[in-house]
Amino acid sequence: MPALASHRKPRSRTRTNTPAVGFTTAAIAGVSLLSAQNATADPKPSIEEVQKKVDDLYRQAGSSTQEYNKAKESTEQQRRTVDRALDEAAERTEALNESRRALGSYAAAQYRTGAVTPTAALLFADNPQSYADQTQLMDRLTEQQRSAIADYETQRAEAAEQRAQATKSLETLTDSQESLRARKQAVQKKLAEARELLSQLTAEERARLAELERKKEEEARRKAEARAKAEAEAEAERQRQERERQAQEQTGTGTETGAGAGTGSAGTAGGTYAAKAEKVLSFARAQIGKPYVWGATGPSSYDCSGLTQAAWRAAGVDLPRTTWDQVKAGQNVATADLLPGDLVFFYDDISHVGIYIGDGKMIHAPKPGANVREESIYYMPIHSSVRPA
């Protein structure tokens, strides 16, 4: 029987697009995810924000530098205390040994003569004073021996106390050194953050940042020039009044002799300060161009308070090390009454200081990466001013 032909249609092969659809879906999902991440990521800060952040980091570094300076000063003082304590402990130990030798000589003498040797027992007893308090022993000792025993006990007690003080001083020194290291790390961290922020800027952004700095300096310069003009006008008025006063005295019409004497006294005091200030400014000008280095006090580099301290030392005035202490070292003066040589402090945390030179300007050690220079006092927010002497 012949085979019957199949009436079933052959199955056609169709290509499936499932893999392509899956790839497209994954791609769309990836784009969506990236878009979501971009939407939630922090936007890049503006140049103005970068400038503010960098300035703030430098200010914080300045404050940390003052903390470092204070910790360093404390550490140095504590080290001197430890050295004195160790020297005194050595002296007490030598005195104790001398007393011990004296008692030993008495014990040896008693041994040689065959006498009873309570002194020897006393010398090597765990508690010599308790042993010496026994009436039987004291009755057998001469006055010289009693004195030697008393001296020995005194020296032993003082030596023990001195050793305890030296140990305590060493522990305090260790604490001071740990604090010093912590302050140093704080400064380095702030400066590293500032450098990292600046390193992320493009060339164009750096140029824009430099332009912002230029505008800031120009504004501060204009304020300084206005201040210089006001000072010049005030000085011209003072000289005019002085000429009038002298003219009145020459014509015999002056009637305020007492006031004149008072002015002379004030002038003498002002002259003394001006003489000191001249030495301060001469020293400060000689440091212009030297680099700012945090914690430095000269002679090759300075931080802000290191420069002011060194400058006033040149005039025979010892200032404290930190801005926080320098701001208390003198007479407070208003910004309008500043004289050359006065110290001008900046920021709410008093983390910077400069030396006023007149005409609204100062000499200061600005910040890391900059050199000692003249600059307008209006470049930073003024906190207060002090006349050291």
Side-chain angles (χ1 to χ4, degrees), residues 14-256:
T14 58
R15 296 181 60 184
T16 177
N17 292 326
T18 302
V21 172
F23 176 79
T24 303
T25 303
I28 293 174
V31 171
S32 300
L33 179 60
L34 289 175
S35 299
Q37 289 176 341
N38 289 335
T40 57
D42 292 336
K44 187 174 182 179
S46 66
I47 295 301
E48 290 78 8
E49 290 172 334
V50 170
Q51 181 190 43
K52 184 178 183 302
K53 180 64 175 176
V54 169
D55 288 346
D56 189 52
L57 285 170
Y58 278 135
R59 182 195 60 75
Q60 292 177 34
S63 182
S64 296
T65 296
Q66 297 308 314
E67 292 178 352
Y68 170 84
N69 292 339
K70 194 173 187 67
K72 183 178 181 181
E73 187 177 42
S74 175
T75 299
E76 291 173 350
Q77 291 175 350
Q78 193 58 38
R79 183 176 288 110
R80 289 192 291 270
T81 299
V82 168
D83 290 341
R84 286 195 301 270
L86 292 175
D87 290 343
E88 291 175 3
E91 292 174 0
R92 295 298 185 189
T93 300
E94 179 58 30
L96 176 62
N97 291 336
E98 185 63 31
S99 297
R100 190 188 300 274
R101 285 191 290 270
L103 287 180
S105 66
Y106 290 134
Q110 289 179 346
Y111 177 79
R112 286 193 299 271
T113 59
V116 180
T117 59
T119 305
L122 172 66
L123 178 60
F124 300 107
D126 291 336
N127 192 340
Q129 183 60 55
S130 175
Y131 189 82
D133 284 342
Q134 299 179 32
T135 305
Q136 297 88 342
L137 174 62
M138 296 303 293
D139 290 343
R140 304 177 69 165
L141 296 176
T142 65
E143 184 62 32
Q144 187 176 14
Q145 289 172 324
R146 290 192 185 97
S147 176
I149 293 173
D151 182 62
Y152 172 77
E153 284 302 310
T154 299
Q155 295 298 338
R156 190 177 68 159
E158 291 179 350
E161 180 181 358
Q162 202 60 49
R163 284 194 298 270
Q165 290 179 356
T167 300
K168 184 177 180 180
S169 295
L170 282 171
E171 292 173 352
T172 304
L173 176 60
T174 300
D175 292 341
S176 297
Q177 290 172 332
E178 291 177 355
S179 175
L180 184 62
R181 283 191 291 270
R183 298 295 184 270
K184 182 176 182 179
Q185 291 171 355
V187 175
Q188 292 173 332
K189 180 181 178 181
K190 296 300 180 184
L191 295 180
E193 289 179 15
R195 287 193 296 269
E196 175 64 20
L197 199 57
L198 291 172
S199 69
Q200 296 174 0
L201 298 179
T202 65
E204 181 182 355
E205 289 171 335
R206 288 177 181 272
R208 289 171 57 195
L209 181 61
E211 178 63 17
L212 288 177
E213 286 291 329
R214 188 193 66 77
K215 290 181 178 179
K216 182 179 177 181
E217 292 173 358
E218 182 62 30
E219 176 63 22
R221 188 180 300 112
R222 283 197 295 269
K223 291 182 178 180
E225 289 173 353
R227 170 64 186 265
K229 181 179 179 181
E231 288 183 358
E233 291 174 351
E235 177 62 18
E237 177 62 18
R238 187 194 66 79
Q239 292 180 1
R240 185 189 66 77
Q241 292 178 358
E242 178 64 17
R243 287 193 297 270
E244 288 183 357
R245 185 186 66 80
Q246 292 178 354
Q248 289 176 353
E249 290 179 351
Q250 291 174 357
T251 57
T253 59
T255 59
E256 298 181 357

